């Protein structure tokens, strides 16, 4: 009864399996008839079962004024993460300075590698290196702008994010709870939204723009190089992009 009063006061209603709740409540009320067990029974009625694991939460199903209807514990939708009360809340904060520095570092890595391999394979043999450098800069700049535009909120050059609280926020797949050591409750979601996936999206746009622009440019202007040397800087990118992707997937939280 105290549980129902607390839920009405808070304006939040959580859905649980009806049979388990009714049977459990009936058993507790029968036990509460014994005088010596009043205190323990009152605690059992008041305490609501919490979600298992660090990142399992209750998703908002319906909201009407101050009344919020939440579902059962599970994975939070994309763009949300659990709060201290185990409710899934939208990511509405702006990235901190360190977050922007991290994104800038990850965005600069492919550009620097493009410039390195263009210079490495061009050298003094061709005067087209400068134009290739400019093209690589345009590819990465356009990819960064497109990535920001397609991220939430769509159509603007800024993003909303969830605050990074601890290292495990980057690796939620390692913290799926297993209550009975047999069945795993999958609650993996991007708790650091969008800092983890936005880098992969950026790399994908970089790769697409490179494959659309660079081969045509190199074929037109890199006439001083042999046929086997013209496209070596592009081939190098096809190697280092997968390496950067693995680096982000494994070491993103450590950076």
């Amino acid at each position: 009864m105290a549980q129902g009063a607390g839920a009405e006061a808070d304006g939040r209603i959580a859905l649980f399996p009806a049979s388990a709740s009714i049977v459990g409540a009936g058993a507790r009320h029968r036990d509460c008839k014994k005088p010596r067990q009043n205190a323990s029974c009152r605690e059992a009625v008041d305490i609501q079962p919490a979600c298992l694991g660090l990142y399992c939460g209750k998703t908002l199903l319906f909201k009407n004024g101050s009344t919020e209807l939440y579902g059962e514990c599970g994975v939070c939708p994309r763009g949300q993460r659990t709060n201290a009360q185990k409710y899934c809340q939208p990511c509405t904060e702006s990235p901190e300075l360190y977050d922007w520095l991290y994104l800038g570092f990850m965005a600069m890595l492919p550009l620097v590698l493009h410039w390195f391999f263009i210079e490495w394979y061009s050298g003094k043999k061709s005067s087209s290196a400068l134009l290739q450098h400019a093209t690589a800069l345009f590819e990465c700049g356009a990819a960064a702008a497109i990535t920001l535009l397609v991220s939430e909120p769509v159509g603007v050059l800024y993003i909303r994010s969830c605050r990074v609280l601890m290292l495990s926020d980057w690796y939620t797949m390692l913290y799926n709870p297993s209550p009975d050591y047999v069945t795993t409750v999958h609650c993996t979601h991007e708790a650091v939204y969008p800092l983890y996936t936005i880098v992969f999206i950026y790399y994908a746009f970089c790769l697409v723009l490179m494959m659309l622009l660079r081969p045509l440019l190199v074929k037109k202007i890199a006439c001083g190089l042999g046929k086997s040397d013209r496209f070596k800087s592009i081939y190098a990118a096809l190697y280092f992009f997968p390496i950067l992707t693995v680096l982000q997937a494994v070491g993103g939280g450590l950076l």
Side-chain angles (χ1 to χ4, degrees), residues 165-246:
L165 302 178
M166 47 188 172
L167 179 62
S168 61
D169 291 347
W170 292 85
Y171 308 103
T172 58
M173 74 290 293
L174 303 178
Y175 294 88
N176 291 322
S178 182
D180 55 1
Y181 301 99
V182 176
T183 305
T184 301
V185 181
H186 295 281
C187 296
T188 300
H189 65 281
E190 190 178 5
V192 294
Y193 175 87
L195 302 180
Y196 192 77
T197 55
I198 197 173
V199 177
F200 299 127
I201 298 173
Y202 166 71
Y203 288 163
F205 281 123
C206 283
L207 188 59
V208 169
L209 290 175
M210 182 195 72
M211 296 304 297
L212 290 177
L213 301 178
R214 195 85 64 82
L216 298 176
L217 177 70
V218 171
K219 187 176 181 180
K220 291 292 184 181
I221 66 176
C223 299
L225 298 175
K227 291 184 177 180
S228 61
D229 294 334
R230 291 183 183 182
F231 301 101
K232 281 188 175 181
S233 62
I234 300 176
Y235 296 152
L238 298 180
Y239 282 98
F240 69 67
F241 268 118
I243 295 175
L244 292 179
T245 302
V246 174

Side-chain angles (χ1 to χ4, degrees), residues 45-58:
V45 173
D46 289 343
I47 297 175
Q48 188 181 54
C51 291
L52 299 173
L54 289 176
Y55 300 102
C56 295
K58 303 170 187 175

Side-chain angles (χ1 to χ4, degrees), residues 103-121 129 132-141 202-203 206 210 214 233 236-237 240-241 244:
L103 293 177
F105 173 76
M106 299 305 291
M108 287 293 295
L109 280 179
L111 178 59
V112 172
L113 290 173
H114 276 314
W115 285 348
F116 172 79
F117 285 109
I118 289 172
E119 197 65 30
W120 179 269
Y121 290 115
Q132 291 186 60
H133 287 318
T135 305
L137 178 61
F138 171 78
E139 293 166 3
C140 294
Y202 166 71
Y203 288 163
C206 283
M210 182 195 72
R214 195 85 64 82
S233 62
F240 69 67
F241 268 118
L244 292 179

Side-chain angles (χ1 to χ4, degrees), residues 9 22 41 79 92 109 142-143 155-156 161 176 199 224-225 249:
I22 294 174
C41 291
T92 57
L109 280 179
V156 293
S161 68
N176 291 322
V199 177
L225 298 175

